Amino acid sequence: MKPLPTMNRRHTMKLFALLGLGTQAAAPVAPALAATDPWKLSAAEWKKRLTPAQFDVLREEGTERAGTSPLNAEKRKGTYHCAGCDLPLFSSEAKYESGTGWPSFHTPLAGALGTKTDYKAILPRTEYHCVRCDGHQGHVFNDGPRPSGKRYCNNGVALRFAPAAA
């Protein structure tokens, strides 16, 4: 008798969709699947894809100067994507004015971000990055609004805004 093929998350989600199960879980599938197919590019390849400012932030974990991003004033409905690989990270509905000078969000899209501890400012902070390309986005703090109480303080240069279809 032939053994059954190994099931992975992609196969499981397809099976659930065919059976009409888990329809609530359908929205986060794209970001979650992106994590299983990470982008691994050389520094030279990233430098071809990105502007110098994007390369500094996304690949070298730099920080843009506060108040310099045009995305601070962005008020339209849409989605904020990683500037490195175009993975959707935040909905415009999660954006709010934090007064920090950087685009801020209270909740990321499901499965879009990874975190690690950063000690560059001596005290530990939580840094977050895109799960697909590992591009540095910013830091998350526990002083945000409801519903999460978090403030995802993002470098604007690390994002690309995609307006919602009219």
Side-chain angles (χ1 to χ4, degrees):
M1 189 158 102
K2 191 173 169 184
L4 293 173
T6 304
M7 293 286 284
N8 62 25
R9 182 176 168 81
R10 184 173 293 150
H11 293 120
T12 303
M13 295 309 291
K14 283 181 180 177
L15 178 62
F16 279 19
L18 287 171
L19 296 174
L21 302 174
T23 54
Q24 295 300 323
V29 169
L33 291 177
T36 64
D37 191 20
W39 286 27
K40 300 290 183 195
L41 303 178
S42 70
E45 290 170 313
W46 280 117
K47 284 183 178 182
K48 287 179 187 174
R49 289 183 63 86
L50 305 171
T51 68
Q54 289 172 325
F55 184 84
D56 178 56
V57 170
L58 289 164
R59 308 315 313 162
E60 297 183 334
E61 299 178 349
T63 302
E64 71 184 354
R65 214 164 25 96
T68 60
S69 175
L71 294 180
N72 288 338
E74 182 59 66
K75 304 286 188 231
R76 295 175 292 171
K77 290 189 183 286
T79 308
Y80 293 84
H81 296 238
C82 174
C85 69
D86 206 33
L87 182 72
L89 304 178
F90 297 98
S91 165
S92 62
E93 297 190 10
K95 187 173 186 270
Y96 72 99
E97 178 53 58
S98 66
T100 61
W102 288 281
S104 297
F105 306 87
H106 58 72
T107 309
L109 295 175
L113 302 177
T115 62
K116 69 179 182 181
T117 303
D118 166 9
Y119 293 97
K120 291 181 193 124
I122 301 175
L123 295 174
R125 301 181 297 175
T126 302
E127 174 184 303
Y128 63 95
H129 49 90
C130 170
V131 295
R132 181 161 51 197
C133 72
D134 201 35
H136 170 73
Q137 295 291 321
H139 292 85
V140 62
F141 303 95
N142 292 320
D143 60 0
R146 292 178 184 228
S148 70
K150 305 282 186 191
R151 172 173 49 99
Y152 289 83
C153 192
N154 217 100
N155 287 284
V157 73
L159 295 171
R160 180 187 71 77
F161 179 69

